Amino acid sequence: MKIFPRKNYIIRRSVNLSKETHILASNLDQAILVITLKRPRTYYEFIDRFLITSNAYQIPTIIVFSKSDTYLKEELKDIEMVKKIYTNLKIDCLLISCHKKKDISKILDLIKNKTTLFSGNSGVGKSTLINYLNPKLNLKTQSVSKSTNKGQHTTTFAQMYDIGKNTRVIDSPGIKGFGLVDMKKGEIYRYFPELLEASKKCRFKNCIHVDEPECEVKKRLVTGEISNYRYESYINLIHDKKTIR
Ligand SMILES: Nc1nc2c(ncn2[C@@H]2O[C@H](COP(=O)(O)OP(=O)(O)O)[C@@H](O)[C@H]2O)c(=O)[nH]1
Ligand SMILES: [Mg+2]
Ligand SMILES: [Zn+2]
């Protein structure tokens, strides 16, 4: 696997209040992945793709479910279930609402004195959230299309904003721009911590946990120790020719 040194990546910076941009190199302390389960819909697989990349770069990641004010009871149950999967993997999850100002202060605490990458599909509320963190920024937000339920913003580059002294956020739709992660099929499981842990007990050293005999991953799927959702993401990833060589 090839990873470009993350201390040297280059991003664009938008200076507070001015429209000026310039290039600078920086370093990331953590990532916040913002997701919504509807308007727009974030697929579980997207979460896992993000997580294997941030894991490869060793960037601690927090999952933020936004727009909590928009969910019905049943949908909130669904979110609880997803939260549980990731909390079990020791990934912090938060359920917030910008419109209801719910738990925005928790985000402020989490990002204090750090440089944080804010990622997530267009329309999940990244700019809205960043505006709440520093109202002076006054970033443009865009409504989610009623017909497609997709965000309409198409920024593809990352921008950095100052929230406070020593506190910065980078608004970026994805993590791909941060360097090339080139994973081989046989090593993808290593970026799923629970698969990596189980793999130590697989009969074969080169087990990729698909249909090898005496595979511990398969055993833990049956007992429920490994989540079906995560395993499905894994299987889709290893069959995705775009991600693997
Ligand atoms: N109901 C609700 N809508 C929100 C919330 N946060 C953001 N939105 C809306 O979601 C849309 C997309 O927000 P935006 O910040 O532009 O998303 P971005 O593309 O991720 O930067 C806008 O219409 C926002 O008003 C929230 O907490 N609740
Ligand atoms: Mg935005
Ligand atoms: Zn196995």
Side-chain angles (χ1 to χ4, degrees):
M1 188 174 81
K2 256 187 285 170
I3 296 181
F4 292 129
R6 70 182 172 97
K7 285 204 168 139
N8 295 322
Y9 70 78
I10 287 165
I11 60 150
R12 264 179 219 190
R13 176 183 197 184
S14 167
V15 177
N16 194 3
L17 294 177
S18 81
K19 293 277 171 280
E20 211 178 294
T21 55
H22 59 239
I23 308 290
L24 88 167
S26 191
N27 193 14
L28 277 181
D29 295 306
Q30 61 184 4
I32 286 186
L33 179 60
V34 183
I35 70 164
T36 49
L37 291 193
K38 58 176 191 185
R39 258 171 275 139
R41 176 174 176 114
T42 304
Y43 292 92
Y44 300 121
E45 217 178 297
F46 175 84
I47 304 174
D48 295 321
R49 276 171 191 258
F50 187 90
L51 289 176
I52 63 167
T53 316
S54 62
N55 186 348
Y57 284 111
Q58 295 175 295
I59 302 169
T61 300
I62 300 152
I63 302 177
V64 168
F65 297 83
S66 69
K67 309 193 191 183
S68 70
D69 56 288
T70 66
Y71 299 113
L72 307 170
K73 238 186 181 170
E74 283 307 304
E75 292 166 330
L76 284 170
K77 264 194 208 158
D78 222 47
I79 289 176
E80 279 311 311
M81 183 204 73
V82 182
K83 268 175 84 176
K84 214 165 151 194
I85 293 173
Y86 294 103
T87 312
N88 284 341
L89 297 168
K90 302 197 170 58
I91 293 169
D92 285 333
C93 297
L94 272 176
L95 177 62
I96 67 154
S97 164
C98 288
H99 287 194
K100 289 262 155 78
K101 293 206 173 69
K102 182 188 175 287
D103 286 348
I104 307 293
S105 61
K106 282 193 185 159
I107 308 266
L108 266 173
D109 289 342
L110 285 169
I111 65 169
K112 206 169 176 196
N113 295 325
K114 287 182 173 151
T115 298
T116 305
L117 173 72
F118 276 65
S119 272
N121 290 327
S122 170
V124 294
K126 297 180 295 297
S127 301
T128 307
L129 177 56
I130 294 171
N131 279 338
Y132 274 100
L133 300 173
N134 180 357
K136 281 192 202 143
L137 290 171
N138 201 15
L139 304 186
K140 248 177 111 178
T141 63
Q142 287 212 20
S143 61
V144 174
S145 155
K146 285 225 162 57
S147 54
T148 62
N149 276 341
K150 282 190 178 146
Q152 306 178 39
H153 209 69
T154 47
T155 4
T156 46
F157 54 86
Q159 271 188 289
M160 188 187 264
Y161 303 100
D162 285 321
I163 300 297
K165 208 173 162 226
N166 297 323
T167 303
R168 296 173 196 93
V169 301
I170 297 165
D171 186 355
S172 156
I175 201 171
K176 287 194 193 112
F178 289 83
L180 183 72
V181 180
D182 189 8
M183 291 178 191
K184 289 188 192 124
K185 187 174 176 174
E187 59 183 20
I188 288 181
Y189 76 86
R190 297 186 161 274
Y191 300 96
F192 284 76
E194 72 277 46
L195 301 198
L196 177 62
E197 180 56 36
S199 72
K200 293 172 188 158
K201 290 190 174 169
C202 291
R203 173 158 172 205
F204 299 104
K205 264 219 150 70
N206 58 354
C207 187
I208 59 162
H209 328 295
V210 178
D211 38 36
E212 296 90 340
E214 290 173 59
C215 168
E216 182 70 15
V217 169
K218 283 301 194 67
K219 281 183 202 157
R220 293 187 187 183
L221 265 176
V222 176
T223 61
E225 282 165 275
I226 288 178
S227 135
N228 279 312
Y229 286 101
R230 291 273 294 170
Y231 185 70
E232 250 175 59
S233 289
Y234 168 69
I235 292 297
N236 290 338
L237 267 166
I238 63 170
H239 290 125
D240 183 348
K241 299 229 164 42
K242 283 188 296 242
T243 5
I244 54 153
R245 322 183 261 180

